[in-house]
mmCIF file of all heavy atoms in Angstrom:
data_model
loop_
_atom_site.group_PDB
_atom_site.id
_atom_site.type_symbol
_atom_site.label_atom_id
_atom_site.label_comp_id
_atom_site.label_asym_id
_atom_site.label_seq_id
_atom_site.Cartn_x
_atom_site.Cartn_y
_atom_site.Cartn_z
ATOM 1 N N VAL A 1485 12.742 -1.232 8.403
ATOM 2 C CA VAL A 1485 11.892 -0.574 9.396
ATOM 3 C C VAL A 1485 11.382 0.699 8.721
ATOM 4 O O VAL A 1485 12.116 1.675 8.565
ATOM 5 C CB VAL A 1485 12.663 -0.245 10.693
ATOM 6 C CG1 VAL A 1485 11.791 0.551 11.643
ATOM 7 C CG2 VAL A 1485 13.156 -1.526 11.353
ATOM 8 N N LEU A 1486 10.135 0.636 8.269
ATOM 9 C CA LEU A 1486 9.495 1.759 7.591
ATOM 10 C C LEU A 1486 8.172 2.050 8.285
ATOM 11 O O LEU A 1486 7.468 1.121 8.682
ATOM 12 C CB LEU A 1486 9.265 1.430 6.115
ATOM 13 C CG LEU A 1486 10.531 1.152 5.301
ATOM 14 C CD1 LEU A 1486 10.174 0.579 3.933
ATOM 15 C CD2 LEU A 1486 11.374 2.414 5.166
ATOM 16 N N LEU A 1487 7.863 3.334 8.412
ATOM 17 C CA LEU A 1487 6.662 3.736 9.145
ATOM 18 C C LEU A 1487 5.820 4.709 8.325
ATOM 19 O O LEU A 1487 6.356 5.605 7.674
ATOM 20 C CB LEU A 1487 7.050 4.408 10.463
ATOM 21 C CG LEU A 1487 7.872 3.571 11.423
ATOM 22 C CD1 LEU A 1487 9.336 3.902 11.287
ATOM 23 C CD2 LEU A 1487 7.403 3.798 12.832
ATOM 24 N N ASP A 1488 4.521 4.545 8.436
ATOM 25 C CA ASP A 1488 3.526 5.434 7.842
ATOM 26 C C ASP A 1488 2.673 5.943 9.000
ATOM 27 O O ASP A 1488 1.521 5.550 9.159
ATOM 28 C CB ASP A 1488 2.697 4.643 6.817
ATOM 29 C CG ASP A 1488 1.614 5.450 6.125
ATOM 30 O OD1 ASP A 1488 1.718 6.686 6.085
ATOM 31 O OD2 ASP A 1488 0.663 4.822 5.615
ATOM 32 N N PRO A 1489 3.258 6.809 9.862
ATOM 33 C CA PRO A 1489 2.590 7.172 11.111
ATOM 34 C C PRO A 1489 1.269 7.911 10.931
ATOM 35 O O PRO A 1489 0.365 7.769 11.760
ATOM 36 C CB PRO A 1489 3.616 8.045 11.834
ATOM 37 C CG PRO A 1489 4.526 8.547 10.772
ATOM 38 C CD PRO A 1489 4.534 7.492 9.703
ATOM 39 N N THR A 1490 1.113 8.676 9.864
ATOM 40 C CA THR A 1490 -0.141 9.398 9.640
ATOM 41 C C THR A 1490 -1.106 8.599 8.778
ATOM 42 O O THR A 1490 -2.205 9.065 8.489
ATOM 43 C CB THR A 1490 0.127 10.757 8.959
ATOM 44 O OG1 THR A 1490 0.696 10.519 7.665
ATOM 45 C CG2 THR A 1490 1.056 11.621 9.793
ATOM 46 N N GLN A 1491 -0.698 7.442 8.351
ATOM 47 C CA GLN A 1491 -1.475 6.545 7.498
ATOM 48 C C GLN A 1491 -1.817 7.177 6.149
ATOM 49 O O GLN A 1491 -2.765 6.764 5.481
ATOM 50 C CB GLN A 1491 -2.744 6.068 8.212
ATOM 51 C CG GLN A 1491 -2.432 5.276 9.466
ATOM 52 C CD GLN A 1491 -3.669 4.837 10.191
ATOM 53 O OE1 GLN A 1491 -4.558 5.636 10.465
ATOM 54 N NE2 GLN A 1491 -3.730 3.557 10.509
ATOM 55 N N ALA A 1492 -1.027 8.140 5.714
ATOM 56 C CA ALA A 1492 -1.283 8.802 4.433
ATOM 57 C C ALA A 1492 -1.189 7.810 3.278
ATOM 58 O O ALA A 1492 -2.064 7.774 2.406
ATOM 59 C CB ALA A 1492 -0.319 9.965 4.232
ATOM 60 N N LEU A 1493 -0.125 7.003 3.259
ATOM 61 C CA LEU A 1493 0.020 6.018 2.189
ATOM 62 C C LEU A 1493 -1.059 4.944 2.306
ATOM 63 O O LEU A 1493 -1.663 4.551 1.309
ATOM 64 C CB LEU A 1493 1.409 5.382 2.203
ATOM 65 C CG LEU A 1493 1.649 4.351 1.104
ATOM 66 C CD1 LEU A 1493 1.518 4.982 -0.286
ATOM 67 C CD2 LEU A 1493 3.001 3.695 1.273
ATOM 68 N N ALA A 1494 -1.314 4.487 3.513
ATOM 69 C CA ALA A 1494 -2.343 3.465 3.716
ATOM 70 C C ALA A 1494 -3.701 3.957 3.204
ATOM 71 O O ALA A 1494 -4.430 3.209 2.548
ATOM 72 C CB ALA A 1494 -2.431 3.086 5.189
ATOM 73 N N ARG A 1495 -4.030 5.219 3.463
ATOM 74 C CA ARG A 1495 -5.297 5.771 2.956
ATOM 75 C C ARG A 1495 -5.285 5.835 1.429
ATOM 76 O O ARG A 1495 -6.263 5.453 0.786
ATOM 77 C CB ARG A 1495 -5.566 7.150 3.545
ATOM 78 C CG ARG A 1495 -6.117 7.105 4.952
ATOM 79 C CD ARG A 1495 -6.674 8.456 5.406
ATOM 80 N NE ARG A 1495 -5.746 9.564 5.283
ATOM 81 C CZ ARG A 1495 -4.786 9.864 6.171
ATOM 82 N NH1 ARG A 1495 -4.655 9.121 7.253
ATOM 83 N NH2 ARG A 1495 -3.994 10.892 5.992
ATOM 84 N N GLN A 1496 -4.188 6.298 0.842
ATOM 85 C CA GLN A 1496 -4.094 6.363 -0.622
ATOM 86 C C GLN A 1496 -4.252 4.985 -1.248
ATOM 87 O O GLN A 1496 -4.796 4.846 -2.339
ATOM 88 C CB GLN A 1496 -2.755 6.952 -1.065
ATOM 89 C CG GLN A 1496 -2.677 8.440 -1.033
ATOM 90 C CD GLN A 1496 -1.358 8.937 -1.618
ATOM 91 O OE1 GLN A 1496 -0.437 8.183 -1.926
ATOM 92 N NE2 GLN A 1496 -1.262 10.248 -1.751
ATOM 93 N N MET A 1497 -3.769 3.969 -0.547
ATOM 94 C CA MET A 1497 -3.803 2.605 -1.066
ATOM 95 C C MET A 1497 -5.063 1.843 -0.625
ATOM 96 O O MET A 1497 -5.160 0.634 -0.829
ATOM 97 C CB MET A 1497 -2.556 1.843 -0.615
ATOM 98 C CG MET A 1497 -1.230 2.438 -1.062
ATOM 99 S SD MET A 1497 -0.787 2.109 -2.757
ATOM 100 C CE MET A 1497 -0.680 0.341 -2.796
ATOM 101 N N SER A 1498 -6.004 2.546 0.003
ATOM 102 C CA SER A 1498 -7.270 1.941 0.444
ATOM 103 C C SER A 1498 -7.048 0.752 1.378
ATOM 104 O O SER A 1498 -7.692 -0.290 1.247
ATOM 105 C CB SER A 1498 -8.128 1.524 -0.751
ATOM 106 O OG SER A 1498 -8.439 2.644 -1.539
ATOM 107 N N VAL A 1499 -6.123 0.921 2.306
ATOM 108 C CA VAL A 1499 -5.871 -0.099 3.319
ATOM 109 C C VAL A 1499 -6.847 0.172 4.461
ATOM 110 O O VAL A 1499 -6.689 1.134 5.196
ATOM 111 C CB VAL A 1499 -4.406 -0.053 3.805
ATOM 112 C CG1 VAL A 1499 -4.196 -0.996 4.969
ATOM 113 C CG2 VAL A 1499 -3.467 -0.390 2.655
ATOM 114 N N LEU A 1500 -7.847 -0.688 4.581
ATOM 115 C CA LEU A 1500 -8.901 -0.471 5.569
ATOM 116 C C LEU A 1500 -8.762 -1.363 6.788
ATOM 117 O O LEU A 1500 -9.434 -1.161 7.784
ATOM 118 C CB LEU A 1500 -10.275 -0.680 4.917
ATOM 119 C CG LEU A 1500 -10.550 0.212 3.704
ATOM 120 C CD1 LEU A 1500 -11.872 -0.157 3.070
ATOM 121 C CD2 LEU A 1500 -10.508 1.678 4.091
ATOM 122 N N GLY A 1501 -7.945 -2.359 6.715
ATOM 123 C CA GLY A 1501 -7.684 -3.273 7.822
ATOM 124 C C GLY A 1501 -6.267 -3.790 7.672
ATOM 125 O O GLY A 1501 -5.602 -3.493 6.688
ATOM 126 N N LEU A 1502 -5.813 -4.561 8.627
ATOM 127 C CA LEU A 1502 -4.445 -5.082 8.587
ATOM 128 C C LEU A 1502 -4.447 -6.574 8.860
ATOM 129 O O LEU A 1502 -5.298 -7.048 9.603
ATOM 130 C CB LEU A 1502 -3.576 -4.369 9.626
ATOM 131 C CG LEU A 1502 -3.361 -2.876 9.407
ATOM 132 C CD1 LEU A 1502 -2.602 -2.281 10.585
ATOM 133 C CD2 LEU A 1502 -2.644 -2.600 8.109
ATOM 134 N N PRO A 1503 -3.503 -7.265 8.300
ATOM 135 C CA PRO A 1503 -2.525 -6.855 7.305
ATOM 136 C C PRO A 1503 -3.121 -6.795 5.901
ATOM 137 O O PRO A 1503 -4.109 -7.465 5.598
ATOM 138 C CB PRO A 1503 -1.460 -7.942 7.381
ATOM 139 C CG PRO A 1503 -2.217 -9.176 7.796
ATOM 140 C CD PRO A 1503 -3.318 -8.668 8.702
ATOM 141 N N VAL A 1504 -2.496 -6.009 5.052
ATOM 142 C CA VAL A 1504 -2.806 -5.950 3.620
ATOM 143 C C VAL A 1504 -1.474 -6.036 2.892
ATOM 144 O O VAL A 1504 -0.532 -5.320 3.239
ATOM 145 C CB VAL A 1504 -3.545 -4.648 3.247
ATOM 146 C CG1 VAL A 1504 -3.620 -4.482 1.734
ATOM 147 C CG2 VAL A 1504 -4.940 -4.623 3.853
ATOM 148 N N THR A 1505 -1.415 -6.898 1.888
ATOM 149 C CA THR A 1505 -0.205 -7.054 1.100
ATOM 150 C C THR A 1505 -0.531 -6.778 -0.358
ATOM 151 O O THR A 1505 -1.521 -7.291 -0.890
ATOM 152 C CB THR A 1505 0.374 -8.470 1.266
ATOM 153 O OG1 THR A 1505 0.560 -8.724 2.668
ATOM 154 C CG2 THR A 1505 1.694 -8.610 0.548
ATOM 155 N N VAL A 1506 0.293 -5.943 -0.976
ATOM 156 C CA VAL A 1506 0.073 -5.495 -2.342
ATOM 157 C C VAL A 1506 1.310 -5.843 -3.170
ATOM 158 O O VAL A 1506 2.434 -5.613 -2.731
ATOM 159 C CB VAL A 1506 -0.160 -3.964 -2.361
ATOM 160 C CG1 VAL A 1506 -0.285 -3.443 -3.767
ATOM 161 C CG2 VAL A 1506 -1.393 -3.599 -1.531
ATOM 162 N N LEU A 1507 1.095 -6.393 -4.353
ATOM 163 C CA LEU A 1507 2.194 -6.678 -5.263
ATOM 164 C C LEU A 1507 2.236 -5.586 -6.329
ATOM 165 O O LEU A 1507 1.229 -5.319 -6.995
ATOM 166 C CB LEU A 1507 2.015 -8.051 -5.926
ATOM 167 C CG LEU A 1507 3.123 -8.483 -6.885
ATOM 168 C CD1 LEU A 1507 4.457 -8.632 -6.160
ATOM 169 C CD2 LEU A 1507 2.748 -9.789 -7.581
ATOM 170 N N LEU A 1508 3.397 -4.936 -6.440
ATOM 171 C CA LEU A 1508 3.606 -3.897 -7.443
ATOM 172 C C LEU A 1508 4.460 -4.450 -8.573
ATOM 173 O O LEU A 1508 5.413 -5.202 -8.327
ATOM 174 C CB LEU A 1508 4.318 -2.687 -6.836
ATOM 175 C CG LEU A 1508 3.661 -2.014 -5.632
ATOM 176 C CD1 LEU A 1508 4.523 -0.848 -5.155
ATOM 177 C CD2 LEU A 1508 2.254 -1.557 -5.957
ATOM 178 N N ASP A 1509 4.144 -4.046 -9.803
ATOM 179 C CA ASP A 1509 4.973 -4.430 -10.942
ATOM 180 C C ASP A 1509 6.155 -3.467 -11.047
ATOM 181 O O ASP A 1509 6.224 -2.481 -10.299
ATOM 182 C CB ASP A 1509 4.138 -4.506 -12.227
ATOM 183 C CG ASP A 1509 3.616 -3.166 -12.721
ATOM 184 O OD1 ASP A 1509 4.029 -2.095 -12.214
ATOM 185 O OD2 ASP A 1509 2.779 -3.168 -13.646
ATOM 186 N N PRO A 1510 7.103 -3.714 -11.939
ATOM 187 C CA PRO A 1510 8.274 -2.840 -12.034
ATOM 188 C C PRO A 1510 7.949 -1.387 -12.398
ATOM 189 O O PRO A 1510 8.754 -0.497 -12.158
ATOM 190 C CB PRO A 1510 9.132 -3.499 -13.123
ATOM 191 C CG PRO A 1510 8.762 -4.943 -13.040
ATOM 192 C CD PRO A 1510 7.284 -4.931 -12.739
ATOM 193 N N GLU A 1511 6.772 -1.137 -12.953
ATOM 194 C CA GLU A 1511 6.355 0.235 -13.246
ATOM 195 C C GLU A 1511 5.757 0.917 -12.021
ATOM 196 O O GLU A 1511 5.359 2.075 -12.078
ATOM 197 C CB GLU A 1511 5.342 0.250 -14.406
ATOM 198 C CG GLU A 1511 5.957 -0.042 -15.765
ATOM 199 C CD GLU A 1511 6.221 -1.529 -15.968
ATOM 200 O OE1 GLU A 1511 5.352 -2.354 -15.610
ATOM 201 O OE2 GLU A 1511 7.310 -1.880 -16.457
ATOM 202 N N GLY A 1512 5.645 0.178 -10.915
ATOM 203 C CA GLY A 1512 5.120 0.740 -9.682
ATOM 204 C C GLY A 1512 3.609 0.694 -9.585
ATOM 205 O O GLY A 1512 3.017 1.392 -8.773
ATOM 206 N N ARG A 1513 2.974 -0.154 -10.381
ATOM 207 C CA ARG A 1513 1.514 -0.274 -10.366
ATOM 208 C C ARG A 1513 1.087 -1.503 -9.573
ATOM 209 O O ARG A 1513 1.753 -2.534 -9.607
ATOM 210 C CB ARG A 1513 0.984 -0.384 -11.796
ATOM 211 C CG ARG A 1513 1.378 0.796 -12.675
ATOM 212 C CD ARG A 1513 1.011 0.544 -14.108
ATOM 213 N NE ARG A 1513 1.669 -0.676 -14.584
ATOM 214 C CZ ARG A 1513 1.539 -1.155 -15.812
ATOM 215 N NH1 ARG A 1513 0.798 -0.541 -16.699
ATOM 216 N NH2 ARG A 1513 2.175 -2.264 -16.172
ATOM 217 N N GLU A 1514 -0.038 -1.392 -8.896
ATOM 218 C CA GLU A 1514 -0.577 -2.519 -8.144
ATOM 219 C C GLU A 1514 -1.171 -3.538 -9.108
ATOM 220 O O GLU A 1514 -2.040 -3.220 -9.906
ATOM 221 C CB GLU A 1514 -1.659 -2.034 -7.178
ATOM 222 C CG GLU A 1514 -2.275 -3.146 -6.375
ATOM 223 C CD GLU A 1514 -3.326 -2.690 -5.382
ATOM 224 O OE1 GLU A 1514 -3.247 -1.545 -4.886
ATOM 225 O OE2 GLU A 1514 -4.232 -3.494 -5.093
ATOM 226 N N VAL A 1515 -0.678 -4.781 -9.003
ATOM 227 C CA VAL A 1515 -1.187 -5.847 -9.861
ATOM 228 C C VAL A 1515 -1.945 -6.920 -9.074
ATOM 229 O O VAL A 1515 -2.672 -7.718 -9.670
ATOM 230 C CB VAL A 1515 -0.067 -6.492 -10.705
ATOM 231 C CG1 VAL A 1515 0.498 -5.476 -11.692
ATOM 232 C CG2 VAL A 1515 1.027 -7.073 -9.836
ATOM 233 N N ALA A 1516 -1.782 -6.936 -7.744
ATOM 234 C CA ALA A 1516 -2.486 -7.924 -6.931
ATOM 235 C C ALA A 1516 -2.540 -7.442 -5.493
ATOM 236 O O ALA A 1516 -1.724 -6.615 -5.072
ATOM 237 C CB ALA A 1516 -1.799 -9.289 -7.012
ATOM 238 N N ARG A 1517 -3.510 -7.978 -4.739
ATOM 239 C CA ARG A 1517 -3.701 -7.595 -3.341
ATOM 240 C C ARG A 1517 -4.244 -8.786 -2.562
ATOM 241 O O ARG A 1517 -5.094 -9.514 -3.054
ATOM 242 C CB ARG A 1517 -4.688 -6.435 -3.269
ATOM 243 C CG ARG A 1517 -5.026 -5.980 -1.861
ATOM 244 C CD ARG A 1517 -5.986 -4.800 -1.892
ATOM 245 N NE ARG A 1517 -5.307 -3.622 -2.397
ATOM 246 C CZ ARG A 1517 -5.237 -2.460 -1.765
ATOM 247 N NH1 ARG A 1517 -5.829 -2.303 -0.614
ATOM 248 N NH2 ARG A 1517 -4.586 -1.442 -2.292
#
C-alpha cells in the first residue's frame, strides 16, 4: 500500500493517465512502459 497523494512522482514520471506500468532495471532506470 503505497501512495503518491500529491502526484509528485507521477508528474516526474510523465504519468498522464491511469493505469501506467513502468519496468525499471536494477540500476533504477526505466526500460519499458
Side-chain angles (χ1 to χ4, degrees):
V1485 175
L1486 299 169
L1487 301 98
D1488 180 22
T1490 63
Q1491 298 178 309
L1493 181 61
R1495 281 193 306 278
Q1496 279 186 352
M1497 300 282 299
S1498 299
V1499 173
L1500 303 175
L1502 296 174
V1504 169
T1505 305
V1506 176
L1507 181 63
L1508 303 179
D1509 68 10
E1511 287 78 43
R1513 302 172 302 180
E1514 179 178 331
V1515 295
R1517 177 179 290 235

